Amino acid sequence: MGRILVTPRSVTRSGHPSLDRLRAAGHEVVLGPAGRQPSEAELLELLPACEGYLAGVEPVSARVLAAASRLRAISRNGTGIDNVDTEAAQARGIALLRAEGANARGVAELTIGFLFALARGLPVTDARMKERKWERANGIELEGKTLGVVGCGRIGRLVSGMALGIGMKVIAQDLYPDASYRPSPDFRFAPLPELLAAADVVTLHCPPLPGHRPLIDAAALAGMKKGVFLVNTARFDLIDPAAIAAALDSGGIAALALDVFDGEPPQDWSLAAHPRVIASPHIGGFTAESIDRAMDFAVDNLLRALAATPAAH
């Protein structure tokens, strides 16, 4: 049995009961810096002595992996592994494990919360009331509006079902659309250009594109309805921030809800500070239930992987 580095911020800040299962299996648990992402220098100091790594969203470079000669498995407490240099990990025979679907409901419910907040301008009206200003904003009702869901996996399907439940119509796009998934006559799959042209609200639930090129750029925005709402709880690099800012200023986009950024905290705060943007600090999967599910999945995956692979000597 060996050392396991644990770095998710929610766990290094306050611990988690699932770590007891690692200790019960004979492993030594090493926590990263409390409540924040470890730097590359900190990973270079902590990881080389570890055989397992329960990782958060911090970047894990080829340099770090090259120094971790004993490392056998990286288990994420989420679904994304694009923060890890996957080629370097695979070249070293390090297993890459994901907590599939663990935070899907948390992200989906945040997305629906964003829809209501955008439709009624809730952050702005709340801020005005706290300033003792009685300023009413004329909102819209979501019933009968069309939601475009880009990426119809676990999160996209949950969002689709919730949106249908409040009377919206849903158009979904997916690289591998499942023709058997037909939750309502008001749901259909369509190619991305058709979705963008028809949607009153567009929400992103897909992985990054090859080369991390933006999905929603100036060309995509030109094909969307004027005054569309946009929600991004997936990846920051799915959007072109300059094109989005210009569309917000012109009214091409009525408002944006954003839970993901180019860094945590962001390197550039200008989009988060825009008056037509609702911003949150990557809280999609930051619910008590999502954290519990993700940690249980991540620990299970790590224990299985370490039991199945020989330790380095």
Side-chain angles (χ1 to χ4, degrees), residues 56-92:
V57 295
E58 65 276 357
V60 184
S61 66
R63 182 182 177 211
V64 166
L65 294 173
S69 59
R70 300 179 62 85
L71 189 63
R72 293 185 277 149
I74 299 174
S75 183
R76 277 277 293 111
N77 71 328
T79 57
I81 56 171
D82 47 298
N83 59 310
V84 180
D85 189 317
T86 54
E87 289 187 8
Q90 290 165 356
R92 301 188 65 83

Side-chain angles (χ1 to χ4, degrees), residues 1 12 51 72 78 83 90 109 120 129 131-132 145 160 181 186 214 227 251 265 267 274 290 299 302:
M1 302 304 172
T12 58
E51 296 182 6
R72 293 185 277 149
N83 59 310
Q90 290 165 356
E109 290 188 3
R120 303 306 298 268
M129 288 293 287
E131 296 169 355
R132 300 187 178 187
K145 302 297 190 295
S160 296
Y181 180 67
D186 287 326
Q267 300 171 30
H274 195 285
S290 287
V299 167
L302 197 52

Side-chain angles (χ1 to χ4, degrees), residues 110-119 123 201-204 228-234 236 239 244 248 253-261 271-272 276-280:
L110 177 66
T111 299
I112 297 299
F114 275 148
L115 297 192
F116 284 111
L118 290 170
V201 185
V202 174
T203 181
L204 307 179
V228 67
F229 292 122
L230 178 63
V231 179
N232 185 8
T233 59
F236 183 77
I239 63 173
I244 295 291
L248 288 165
I253 297 177
L256 165 71
L258 192 60
D259 188 47
V260 285
F261 296 89
L271 203 54
R276 292 181 180 271
V277 173
I278 301 173
S280 56

